Amino acid sequence: MSVEAAEMDQEGYDRLQRALKAASGLDLTAYKKKQVFRRLAGFMSRYGFANLTVLAEAVRRDPSVRQQLTDFLAINVSEFFRNPERFDHLKAAVLPELRRTWSSLRIWSAGCSVGAEAYSLAILLEEMEPGSYHRHAVLGTDIDREALREAEAAVFGADRLREVSPGRLQRFFAALPGQRWQVKPSIRRYVRFMVHNLLEDPYPSGQHLILCRNVVIYFNEAAKEKIFAQLAASLVPGGYLLVGSTEAIFYPARFGLAAAAPFLYRRVEG
Ligand SMILES: C[S@@+](CC[C@H](N)C(=O)[O-])C[C@H]1O[C@@H](n2cnc3c(N)ncnc32)[C@H](O)[C@@H]1O
């Protein structure tokens, strides 16, 4: 379906809007309409939906379509400790294991948007080893300069902090007027941000842990393969790659990776 055709189909659009709002709480009216139509048209042609009504029906019935469409539409969506169970696993198992092998850890949040993921990782490092910013480093990269400017300012509203416990909020954030919080320097000093296009730029090497989540969902299969291969090559043997919940890697051995936990892969030795 073309962008123009989608724009003409007001009835189908209303249906989709209602279905999304009811099913996942996503309010399309909060987004720039032109962009939404562009994305909807892209989503429908990529996944083979004939029109907006068919898509609305799929959204109502199929949670995975719902999730996929939500992620597809909300390009900069991010929050601290998104999918908290993954961060729990990083804290309990992955980081301590890496730390036993390496004295100094390099962690990369690829496609970091406004930096919530990178700062979440820095919080885990600080909790594991207070004051170890001179030892461990988190790199946050994104193609979107505007998002990186926000990341550097490190000021966040309540919508991005839903998964931050009261204890963490108090310890690692300074309250600002207007229900906003700024990440404290004790955490910010772990993190460095840089513009980086995953499709074009050379990848940093020697990474111990890479998070690349809710990014490749925007790409076609060929681009995805290329990105996974390069991410795997950026890891040290024994290093880990965590991807998003709709981005599982099939046959990870192709990239020299082995599944270690849900959506988590370990680069095999050698
Ligand atoms: C939905 S956000 C994901 C943020 C974070 N990883 C998370 O899961 O919360 C997707 C991010 O991917 C970035 N992105 C899209 N294409 C990219 C590319 N070619 N290279 C690097 N980043 C890209 C977007 O700018 C956006 O900030």
Side-chain angles (χ1 to χ4, degrees):
M1 193 181 206
S2 71
V3 179
E4 290 73 21
E7 277 173 334
M8 300 281 289
D9 182 7
Q10 188 60 45
E11 200 192 329
Y13 184 67
D14 288 345
R15 270 182 208 192
L16 177 64
Q17 210 168 324
R18 281 197 300 272
L20 263 180
K21 186 88 175 84
S24 64
L26 184 75
D27 185 3
L28 284 186
T29 56
Y31 289 80
K32 286 185 188 147
K33 219 167 173 183
K34 261 242 144 3
Q35 250 178 41
V36 169
F37 277 117
R38 233 187 15 245
R39 282 190 198 292
L40 282 177
F43 185 86
M44 287 191 291
S45 56
R46 183 189 291 194
Y47 294 105
F49 292 100
N51 57 50
L52 290 168
T53 304
V54 174
L55 179 59
E57 197 41 47
V59 163
R60 226 188 310 272
R61 273 197 331 258
D62 185 343
S64 70
V65 171
R66 199 144 70 218
Q67 179 68 46
Q68 232 166 358
L69 179 61
T70 311
D71 289 351
F72 200 87
L73 289 169
I75 186 157
N76 275 143
V77 164
S78 188
E79 63 177 298
F80 279 78
F81 300 103
R82 184 179 193 175
N83 306 117
E85 65 284 5
R86 309 256 188 283
F87 283 90
D88 291 345
H89 184 67
L90 293 180
K91 179 173 171 148
V94 175
L95 287 174
E97 181 201 314
L98 290 172
R99 184 64 184 84
R100 278 194 292 276
T101 316
W102 287 278
S103 58
S104 174
L105 300 182
R106 277 183 296 276
I107 301 181
W108 179 20
S109 166
C112 69
S113 182
V114 294
E117 186 176 84
Y119 289 128
S120 301
L121 289 162
I123 287 174
L124 296 189
L125 289 172
E126 177 68 10
E127 287 175 342
M128 177 175 77
E129 223 178 330
S132 60
Y133 62 94
H134 51 275
R135 210 178 248 279
H136 311 307
V138 180
L139 172 66
T141 66
D142 203 283
I143 195 174
D144 183 343
R145 280 168 203 277
E146 205 41 58
L148 290 178
R149 261 194 283 277
E150 270 189 59
E152 264 154 10
V155 175
F156 298 95
D159 54 326
R160 301 215 192 258
L161 300 167
R162 288 177 308 186
E163 298 292 349
V164 178
S165 67
R168 279 178 170 161
L169 196 62
Q170 205 195 346
R171 182 167 166 205
F172 302 122
F173 294 80
L176 301 178
Q179 291 289 295
R180 283 142 51 89
W181 287 264
Q182 185 169 39
V183 182
K184 285 186 179 169
S186 59
I187 295 304
R188 288 164 71 182
R189 58 193 174 179
Y190 285 88
V191 187
R192 183 168 63 87
F193 291 102
M194 199 176 85
V195 177
H196 180 272
N197 182 349
L198 286 161
L199 295 173
E200 285 179 9
D201 295 328
Y203 283 36
S205 61
Q207 303 300 306
H208 299 98
L209 170 63
I210 300 175
L211 271 68
C212 185
R213 303 190 307 154
N214 310 301
V215 180
V216 300
I217 190 167
Y218 303 108
F219 302 127
N220 62 31
E221 282 308 313
K224 241 187 242 186
E225 297 277 297
K226 206 172 141 197
I227 289 173
F228 285 145
Q230 290 183 98
L231 289 172
S234 288
L235 289 170
V236 296
Y240 286 93
L241 168 64
L242 182 66
V243 300
S245 310
T246 54
E247 300 168 323
I249 303 178
F250 298 106
Y251 309 114
R254 289 177 297 156
F255 306 119
L257 298 170
F263 311 104
L264 183 71
Y265 303 87
R266 184 170 188 271
R267 173 147 174 216
V268 289
E269 315 283 336

